[in-house]
Amino acid sequence: LVAALADEHAPVRAAAATAIGRSGGAGIDGGPRRVAELLLEVASREADADPVMRHALATALARAVPVPTLAAMDADSLVRASEAARVVLAVALRQRAMIRVGEDVPADGPRHHDRTAAGEALAAMLEDPAASVRVRAEAARAIYDAHLGAAEPFSPGGPASTPAEDAPFTRLARVLDAVDTSALAIEPIVRRAVEANLRLGTSDAADRLTRFAARPEVPALWRILALERLEAWAGGDRRERVWGHWIPRPTRTTEAVEA
């Protein structure tokens, strides 16, 4: 399988990556770390040119490599030097972190620990000034879509607590203070950061949306979105604006917005 990763035919290389993932990297000397290195090396060469290969590599990483090892790979010099490899790594972390609606994730269980490790690695990518917009966009997608560090969004009574200040979801919300909205690929970050502030529901989050809406250099589309989400602060509109999910939220006062 390792030799097939270098085959001259792209479908063979993609099939080899898929097989490595399904086998859990069995038989590859060096363990999970070596498996991750092999797959990310291929990603650095060709994941940008072939979306099928990019998907195969990310899925193989998610299946064959434990989350702590995946998280540690972002410090690898090969990965840091390749935008394509970091994108694949972020997608793999997202796959490992995703939960199903209603899935129970005990606080002391392995899934919780995996999600915590994945969230920390993705938040670091999101805040990395050296990371490209593509890498930060994939990190933002993963944090928001997997609810990393967020209160459980689908419980009947709505979120019962506010995420901690260092939680990935809170760090995503804070990105709105410094995001450069001139980049063409910024949409996944801005849309999720705006929605994260609404879901946080704190006075700091309301202030952040207000500041963002008042920035004259921000395109009107994003300023209007921020104002619309402030208008929904009290809980009238409970359909979030990224995926269209209905997310129950506790009734709030408008004091934070009015202030």
Side-chain angles (χ1 to χ4, degrees), residues 63-85:
R63 286 178 168 176
V65 182
V67 171
T69 304
L70 284 177
M73 289 305 300
D74 193 44
D76 186 273
S77 58
L78 171 68
V79 177
R80 301 287 291 189
S82 169
E83 178 185 70

Side-chain angles (χ1 to χ4, degrees), residues 21-83:
R22 288 179 175 173
S23 68
I28 296 179
D29 293 337
R33 172 83 187 194
R34 181 56 183 156
V35 173
E37 290 172 346
L38 288 168
L39 294 172
L40 288 168
E41 183 179 355
V42 177
S44 70
R45 292 198 308 266
E46 57 185 289
D48 263 347
D50 187 347
V52 174
M53 178 63 78
R54 182 165 60 243
H55 173 74
L57 291 167
T59 302
L61 282 166
R63 286 178 168 176
V65 182
V67 171
T69 304
L70 284 177
M73 289 305 300
D74 193 44
D76 186 273
S77 58
L78 171 68
V79 177
R80 301 287 291 189
S82 169
E83 178 185 70

Side-chain angles (χ1 to χ4, degrees), residues 24 32 51 63 74 83 89 96 109 130 140 144 161 171 174 185 210 229 231-232 247 252 259:
R63 286 178 168 176
D74 193 44
E83 178 185 70
L89 181 60
R96 288 297 297 265
Y144 184 89
S161 61
R171 291 159 74 177
R174 287 203 298 262
T210 303
R229 302 322 275 152
E231 186 179 8
I247 297 183
R252 302 169 183 155

Side-chain angles (χ1 to χ4, degrees), residues 194-249:
V194 167
E195 202 66 29
N197 279 286
L198 173 65
R199 286 175 56 183
L200 284 178
T202 63
S203 58
D204 284 345
D207 289 343
R208 195 175 292 117
L209 285 174
T210 303
R211 290 194 301 270
F212 183 73
R215 285 169 54 186
E217 78 277 11
V218 172
L221 168 70
W222 301 125
R223 298 172 70 185
I224 291 170
L225 177 63
L227 290 170
E228 287 176 344
R229 302 322 275 152
L230 284 168
E231 186 179 8
W233 195 263
D237 179 5
R238 300 190 179 187
R239 188 170 298 280
E240 58 91 44
R241 298 290 185 88
V242 177
W243 292 106
H245 294 150
W246 186 85
I247 297 183
R249 296 195 309 271

Side-chain angles (χ1 to χ4, degrees), residues 32 36 61-74 89 92-98 110-122 148:
L61 282 166
R63 286 178 168 176
V65 182
V67 171
T69 304
L70 284 177
M73 289 305 300
D74 193 44
L89 181 60
L93 286 165
R94 175 186 179 184
Q95 289 186 19
R96 288 297 297 265
M98 290 295 289
R111 285 282 285 131
H112 175 77
H113 295 309
D114 279 355
R115 282 170 51 80
T116 298
E120 182 57 38
L122 289 161
L148 292 172

Side-chain angles (χ1 to χ4, degrees), residues 86-87 89-91 93-94 118-119 121-128 131-146 148 168 172 188-189 192:
R86 289 192 91 182
V87 167
L89 181 60
V91 174
L93 286 165
R94 175 186 179 184
L122 289 161
M125 286 185 186
L126 180 68
E127 295 171 340
D128 182 3
S132 68
V133 172
R134 279 187 64 206
V135 171
R136 288 186 284 120
E138 287 300 339
R141 285 188 178 103
I143 291 168
Y144 184 89
D145 298 358
L148 292 172
L172 170 62
I189 302 175
R192 286 166 174 79

